[in-house]
Amino acid sequence: MAHRAVALGPLRWTGTAAAVLVVALVLGTLAAVASRAGSGAALASADVAAVLFTLQQAAVSAVLSVALAVPVARALARRRFAGRRALVALMGAPFILPVIVAVFGLLAIFGRGGLLNAGLGALGLGPVSVYGFGGVVLANVFFNLPLATRLILQGWSAIPAERFRLAATLNAPVGRLLERPMLRDVLPGAALAIFLICLASFAVALILGGGPRATTVEVAIFQALRFDFDPAKAALLALVQVALCTVAAGLAGLVTVPAAFGPGLDRVPARWDGRGRGARLADGAAIALAAAFLLAPLAMVVAQGFVGLGQLPLQVWPAALRSLAVALSASVLAVGLALAMALRGGALVQVAGVLPLASSALVMGTGLFVLSHGWLDPGHIALPATALVNAAASLPFAFRALAPAVGRIEAAHGPLADTLGLTGWPRLRWLYLPRLRGELGFAAGLSAALSVGDLGVITLFAGPDSATLPLVMYRLMGSYRLQAAAGVALMLLAMALAVFWAFDRGGRGHAAA
Amino acid sequence: MKKILTLASVAGLCLIAQAAVADTPVLTVYTYDSFAADWGPGPQIKSGFEETCGCTVKFVTAGDGAALLSRLELEGAAGRADVAVGLDTSLIARARETGLFATSGVGESYDMPVAWDDPVFVPFDWGYFAFVANKGAPEVHSFKELAASNIKIVIEDPRSSTPGLGLLLWVKKAYGDGAAKIWADLADNIVTVTPGWDQAYGLFLNGEADAVLSYSTSPAYHLIAENDPSKVAWTFDEGQYMQIEVAARMAASKQPDLAQKFLAYLVSDKAQAVIPTTNWMYPVVMPKEGLPKGFEMPVAPDKALLMSPDEAAAARDGALEEWRTALSR
Amino acid sequence: MLRLEAVRIVQDDFALTADFTLPPAAVTAVLGPSGAGKSTLLGAIAGFVAPAAGRILWEGRDLTPLPPGARPVSILFQDNNLFPHLDIARNVALAITPAARPGPDVTDRVHAALAQLGLQGMEGRRPGALSGGQQSRAALARVLVAGRPVVLLDEPFAALGPALRAELLDLTRAQLLAAGCSVLMVTHDPADAARIADHAIVVAEGKVSPPAPTSALLADPPPALRAYLGQP
């Protein structure tokens, strides 16, 4: 791709700078933490157990998410029905939900006092417990099933409609001829992507873990920083997490990671297979079960939230504005960095594009704190620092949405741009930006939505007057005010969906052929 | 795009405006989130102290007591804090080691079940850890009874939360070498272990467990703030473990006198009267009008358990390992 | 004058050598079997394929180190000759300047070129709103406006019907020769070559034959071309 370097001109350096910035943010903050005094002791046996548990839950969650996503994606790929588009969009909601909100939604269905056990009890059946290894996996599948479905659905959409036509005229088995090879290509990459996400598994999901066996590296980091104040050890653990992620990302480089994670899943090609009653029943069941699994907890979040809306304290409104400002800044930052990196391409950006997945927000925030301390008032940089960390957290997703699209644009229109001598900024202005509009909207919406729901590092910096909405929610939870917190959770859900919808919609508007 | 930039810069400007320097001296108080929250004791204590001090109180917050101490340690001697409010007995040994805190200069006689003569750390409220449950549900009154029952409980992780650590030390103090056995027997009663108090309490309120490790004053919150008398705190025959929350002034403070005045105000009658129904803990000095309904003492003072800071620091790692081993089976 | 001097193109196990001078101000057809390297040859001249050896000279100046946009060469591909997201006036104007608001002189030239090709009144339309023939005309207008002396045609009209294709070939020849361009045109159809090309070269068996008059070449094809044309 020496050729692309010429075409990009100075833009290439922007991409390099963006990638270096991301790597520096992850490793630099880690180094800053390590520079603080601490024992730097080697990993204890408890830490090794945490590493093993982390790997184990990530692996099982990844395999299960992908396995369950296959029938759902197949059903969505070959069925047209009213509300399909809305369903695909809504099924992505767990992914952008604040983790604690999602966990409480899940428990309202699957918990000891949840609907499932109430139903079982009515039938005279004993209660089932969700807590334990199964609970952690359940939460991970809940968060990642939408992503897996999207990745696999993309694989199905990438099979040209003509192939289905050909298969139909030959009366050939679509499954063996077209779908199985596609799945062979797509599944390993999708599983690895989810494995990576689960590696830095949300500590809060450990509520479902049932006890100290369900301890991840992130918990060990928390303990090292908060209770032992041993920054060197926290940094060592963070480094282990980064190393695990880098190895997994390296593996992901060996298999084909699904080409795209982006918009445009609305088209359903005409199909001639799967018209039997059995296939239709199976597809209907897959869609109904997945929708129920993903949407029922959301419905509980909404139901519980409505009760709390009347008790919202006044400070939720300025907090909502601050959250919006943080989300928009994080979104612009994440998409800007991801675009610069996607345009540049190459090994450096591939690494920088996944590295933030492995980074611990606590370590990153503490590192930023150490770096800024002494010359910046933490209160002043609370919101910028939160936006920066949130941007880093959503960067991998924005990058995945943009990078394959850049490749496609380059293949289709690069030669024309080359003959016209469109390099550097004009190439961005006339070719990439307009052609990437849909992907940019999607990436910006996703980043903003993730940021709205993310507590990020605000707790490390914020004074009482610069709280974001998630922080207000945690503060309410920490003061017995659960109903009000549920109201805030509903606000967060609505805001996350709204910003995603607005950006995604903006990207699609005027999207001419 | 322009709009986004405008929004971001508005947010930035607000922050700068808010930090605009006032001409009165500013006392910077580091505390935990819920202390400074609108519904916490912070706002009333701030306005009460400002009436007399001719200064402005500025709160800077961290997530909880442990996060607060970590932040103070990160900032080190170059920190901006004048006073820290909200460390607790389990953090004192670590806090003392940092050398960041100065002698308080406040000597008060406190109404607590244990004597207090620490020259540096000033207590400002205290409570008993207790299991909280719904009234009318089966009750137990010792760890042994609890372990023998089918009652399901939620507890907090001693590696990431103060109540979790409190429970760990409670069992250790009550049972010593027998603590491991108690934990092993309790294992099947524990629904789950949460990273923090708020999640555990949320699980309990959502019906995920019969009881939760919280404070003996938790039912008072429901009674007074929500007019809901349905919660009860169990008292245990082994005794009730205490948590004492403390404040201290920083050695590096440039306003040592003002900081000392603030500590004195914190244990004054006026500030102490605010504590019960905002921080939902017992005051360290009994207010003139006494305690609100719901704050009746659950146990006699001789049932109060507490390890000294040094004792707690020495016991922690071993107890943690016992806990981890027993619950990992 | 465009000259290929001992050019050798290597891609994996494919190799092609070329050594010829393109007849100036004339149309030269590129004939040869599929996969022989006709498009690759054009790619080398346009700057998309770097030759392993040899030089490509324009007026004695070596073009090989130059990127595509810096060469005195325009090219029309089989498809994607216009950006689908820009109207055709903007598409044509990009051949002159990437400025967001081009000056009146640029606009005038663009409009004149579009009018010359029968597209007046359609300046504001995007390619998707034009017929295949109109798209080809817009692309041709872009080449004319670019004003580069060498024009490469890589079967840009292959998807059009016979009558429309013949019409566009005639139009292309007339317009480009009037502008003084040297044209190199890949085609599958000897009739197209006979219709508009003065000269023809044959790409076959890893070699490029030197230009010969089209009529003479088609009357007495060399063996490689003979096989391709299906003649005994």
Side-chain angles (χ1 to χ4, degrees):
Chain A
M1 266 273 146
H3 164 67
R4 198 194 265 192
V6 177
L8 282 174
L11 286 183
R12 188 182 154 79
W13 296 109
T14 330
T16 309
V20 169
L21 182 74
V22 171
V23 174
L25 187 63
V26 172
L27 297 182
T29 49
L30 206 157
V33 171
S35 74
R36 279 305 168 115
S39 71
L43 299 181
S45 70
D47 303 322
V48 176
V51 170
L52 291 178
F53 179 81
T54 304
L55 290 172
Q56 196 187 0
Q57 56 91 22
V60 173
S61 303
V63 170
L64 212 58
S65 298
V66 168
L68 292 175
V70 170
V72 183
R74 184 176 59 186
L76 286 171
R78 64 186 186 186
R79 300 291 162 207
R80 275 181 249 228
F81 53 91
R84 178 183 178 277
R85 187 174 166 171
L87 185 68
V88 172
L90 209 57
M91 274 177 35
F95 195 66
I96 52 179
L97 215 54
V99 181
I100 182 70
V101 174
V103 166
F104 274 96
L106 272 175
L107 284 175
I109 303 293
F110 298 101
R112 283 186 79 234
L115 290 182
L116 180 67
N117 274 322
L120 287 175
L123 294 174
L125 298 170
V128 289
S129 173
V130 70
Y131 298 95
F133 187 77
V136 175
V137 171
L138 178 85
N140 279 336
V141 171
F142 178 73
F143 290 120
N144 292 303
L145 185 63
L147 176 62
T149 305
R150 250 196 127 90
L151 289 172
I152 299 170
L153 188 51
Q154 209 104 39
W156 248 293
S157 309
I159 301 178
E162 295 76 19
R163 304 250 173 95
F164 288 110
R165 221 155 54 197
L166 181 63
T169 59
L170 298 173
N171 206 13
V174 166
R176 210 176 62 218
L177 202 66
L178 299 178
E179 297 180 330
R180 239 184 270 168
M182 181 279 291
L183 289 175
R184 251 203 314 273
D185 284 349
V186 170
L187 292 190
L192 259 169
I194 291 170
F195 178 76
L196 274 172
I197 295 172
C198 295
L199 266 191
S201 189
F202 325 105
V204 180
L206 298 177
I207 292 175
L208 297 172
R213 235 180 329 173
T215 293
T216 60
V217 180
E218 189 75 21
V219 174
I221 291 174
F222 193 95
Q223 186 193 354
L225 267 181
R226 281 292 156 78
F227 268 61
D228 301 335
F229 198 69
D230 190 348
K233 176 152 182 203
L236 177 65
L237 288 162
L239 199 61
V240 168
Q241 200 160 300
V242 167
L244 290 177
C245 174
T246 311
V247 170
L251 288 177
L254 295 180
V255 304
T256 341
V257 166
F261 171 60
L265 295 173
D266 303 337
R267 284 183 301 274
V268 179
R271 300 269 300 254
W272 290 268
D273 61 305
R275 292 195 165 172
R277 175 188 289 231
R280 269 187 296 176
L281 275 177
D283 284 355
I287 292 174
L289 282 175
F293 173 56
L294 296 176
L295 299 183
L298 289 183
M300 297 307 285
V301 170
V302 173
Q304 293 172 349
F306 264 115
V307 182
L309 281 183
Q311 308 176 18
L312 291 182
L314 275 180
Q315 64 265 51
V316 298
W317 305 113
L321 274 183
R322 277 189 289 266
S323 275
L324 201 60
V326 166
L328 295 181
S329 317
S331 166
V332 168
L333 201 58
V335 172
L337 290 170
L339 177 64
M341 285 163 52
L343 290 176
R344 184 192 183 273
L348 173 65
V349 306
Q350 292 299 335
V351 171
V354 291
L355 207 52
L357 278 183
S359 63
S360 148
L362 186 63
V363 169
M364 205 187 275
T366 308
L368 283 177
F369 191 94
V370 169
L371 290 172
S372 64
H373 180 57
W375 55 285
L376 286 172
D377 183 341
H380 290 180
I381 61 165
L383 297 184
T386 306
L388 183 64
V389 172
N390 286 357
S394 58
L395 176 86
F397 303 106
F399 178 70
R400 284 234 70 77
L402 293 174
V406 168
R408 283 197 302 275
I409 291 168
E410 200 44 57
H413 305 288
L416 174 56
D418 289 342
T419 61
L420 291 173
L422 286 182
T423 59
W425 164 248
R427 200 182 185 90
L428 185 67
R429 167 79 179 75
W430 297 114
L431 178 57
Y432 294 125
L433 287 184
R435 296 300 301 162
L436 282 171
R437 214 186 136 125
E439 285 79 7
L440 287 171
F442 177 81
L446 189 68
S447 304
L450 284 171
S451 171
V452 163
D454 196 353
L455 185 61
V457 296
I458 188 88
T459 46
L460 292 175
F461 294 90
D465 304 322
S466 55
T468 56
L469 205 49
L471 182 53
V472 169
M473 186 184 74
Y474 278 96
R475 284 179 178 170
L476 286 168
M477 280 186 68
S479 321
Y480 291 102
R481 303 175 154 219
L482 255 87
Q483 287 205 336
V488 176
L490 178 58
M491 272 180 80
L492 280 173
L493 176 62
M495 262 176 73
L497 287 175
V499 291
F500 176 75
W501 179 84
F503 273 111
D504 192 38
R505 171 102 192 175
R508 285 158 190 255
H510 315 290
Chain B
M1 188 77 133
K2 253 185 199 153
K3 269 187 195 149
I4 294 169
L5 290 177
T6 316
L7 260 176
S9 56
V10 166
L13 282 178
C14 291
L15 283 172
I16 292 166
Q18 164 201 319
V21 192
D23 37 10
T24 48
V26 174
L27 184 77
T28 306
V29 177
Y30 278 34
T31 184
Y32 53 78
D33 268 335
S34 59
F35 187 90
D38 282 10
W39 48 82
Q44 292 182 60
I45 287 175
K46 171 182 155 76
S47 60
F49 184 59
E50 281 173 356
E51 275 169 25
T52 59
C53 72
C55 69
T56 306
V57 172
K58 182 185 158 201
F59 286 121
V60 171
T61 56
D64 59 17
L68 175 62
L69 182 54
S70 287
R71 170 140 180 196
L72 290 167
E73 284 190 69
L74 271 182
E75 294 190 6
R80 296 159 195 259
D82 295 306
V83 178
V85 175
L87 307 177
D88 82 350
T89 23
S90 63
L91 294 167
I92 284 180
R94 189 182 125 199
R96 202 192 319 265
E97 251 177 56
T98 65
L100 292 170
F101 302 92
T103 310
S104 68
V106 175
E108 188 80 35
S109 66
Y110 303 110
D111 303 311
M112 288 196 293
V114 292
W116 191 269
D117 51 10
D118 193 297
V120 174
F121 298 98
V122 178
F124 66 92
D125 67 17
W126 66 280
Y128 290 114
F129 291 116
F131 284 95
V132 172
N134 286 308
K135 265 185 198 155
E139 288 189 21
V140 290
H141 291 283
S142 71
F143 284 109
K144 284 190 167 153
E145 258 186 76
L146 179 59
S149 75
N150 287 324
I151 290 171
K152 297 290 182 188
I153 56 170
V154 192
I155 62 169
E156 295 85 348
D157 195 323
R159 297 167 297 177
S160 54
S161 93
T162 11
L165 186 52
L167 177 63
L168 187 78
L169 299 177
W170 185 0
V171 174
K172 192 72 192 167
K173 179 83 178 169
Y175 286 96
D177 292 342
K181 167 94 169 59
I182 292 289
W183 281 116
D185 293 344
L186 279 174
D188 62 346
N189 297 90
I190 296 170
V191 173
T192 195
V193 179
T194 66
W197 172 88
D198 46 354
Q199 299 117 16
Y201 209 80
L203 289 181
F204 162 67
L205 288 185
N206 284 351
E208 289 299 301
D210 305 315
V212 59
L213 177 77
S214 186
Y215 298 91
S216 66
T217 42
S218 296
Y221 169 82
H222 296 283
L223 184 69
I224 294 169
E226 297 176 342
N227 200 19
D228 168 12
S230 69
K231 304 285 182 286
V232 62
W234 297 338
T235 50
F236 274 19
D237 301 336
E238 293 94 338
Q240 222 70 19
Y241 198 78
M242 285 177 73
Q243 178 182 37
I244 301 173
E245 295 198 286
V246 300
R249 55 177 180 156
M250 309 304 296
S253 168
K254 299 200 172 62
Q255 306 171 92
D257 295 342
L258 202 53
Q260 186 180 3
K261 275 188 194 144
F262 183 83
L263 290 179
Y265 178 77
L266 198 58
V267 293
S268 72
D269 183 69
K270 201 171 168 201
Q272 287 291 304
V274 170
I275 291 288
T277 55
T278 52
N279 226 26
W280 305 100
M281 297 283 272
Y282 298 113
V284 292
V285 176
M286 189 60 69
K288 282 193 227 62
E289 63 268 37
L291 289 172
K293 186 171 156 31
F295 275 87
E296 296 80 16
M297 285 296 152
V299 292
D302 64 334
K303 285 282 193 183
L305 304 179
L306 184 65
M307 287 190 191
S308 74
D310 294 336
E311 200 184 345
R316 198 195 72 151
D317 284 351
L320 201 53
E321 195 48 40
E322 283 174 3
W323 174 85
R324 219 177 59 81
T325 311
L327 296 192
S328 289
R329 284 225 188 88
Chain C
M1 252 194 326
L2 184 79
R3 173 158 174 69
L4 276 72
E5 202 176 78
V7 169
R8 184 175 162 76
I9 304 163
V10 180
Q11 288 181 331
D12 299 329
D13 53 354
F14 166 88
L16 181 70
T17 54
D19 194 324
F20 69 91
T21 302
L22 185 67
V27 177
T28 302
V30 185
L31 294 167
S34 296
K38 300 189 293 292
S39 294
T40 309
L41 176 65
L42 262 59
I45 297 170
F48 294 113
V49 178
R55 300 193 298 167
I56 298 170
L57 303 165
W58 172 251
E59 308 291 14
R61 190 162 63 103
D62 189 4
L63 299 182
T64 35
L66 297 181
R71 299 189 180 202
V73 178
S74 284
I75 183 167
L76 288 182
F77 307 102
Q78 287 180 12
D79 45 28
N80 285 323
N81 284 309
L82 298 167
F83 291 126
H85 50 279
L86 303 176
D87 64 36
I88 57 171
R90 172 68 68 190
N91 261 294
V92 174
L94 281 179
I96 308 172
T97 170
R101 288 187 194 77
D105 52 327
V106 173
T107 317
D108 290 349
R109 273 169 69 195
V110 168
H111 283 232
L114 286 171
Q116 202 177 335
L117 289 160
L119 294 172
Q120 60 270 62
M122 302 187 186
E123 293 86 356
R125 293 204 200 164
R126 294 192 185 177
L130 299 178
S131 72
Q134 288 168 330
Q135 288 182 19
S136 300
R137 284 165 184 265
L140 193 55
R142 198 201 80 218
V143 170
L144 284 175
V145 160
R148 301 193 189 175
V150 176
V151 176
L152 310 175
L153 305 176
D154 193 358
E155 300 191 83
F157 313 130
L160 303 177
L164 191 53
R165 189 167 83 219
E167 182 197 325
L168 275 161
L169 283 172
D170 290 347
L171 181 69
T172 305
R173 176 183 164 87
Q175 296 281 349
L176 292 179
L177 288 188
C181 298
S182 309
V183 182
L184 194 57
M185 173 185 83
V186 170
T187 180
H188 271 108
D189 188 348
D192 283 355
R195 186 180 185 99
I196 70 158
D198 315 282
H199 310 273
I201 58 177
V202 178
V203 178
E205 292 163 352
K207 283 197 278 290
V208 179
S209 73
T214 312
S215 51
L217 197 68
L218 291 175
D220 180 19
L225 185 59
R226 189 184 296 270
Y228 169 65
L229 295 173
Q231 293 173 358

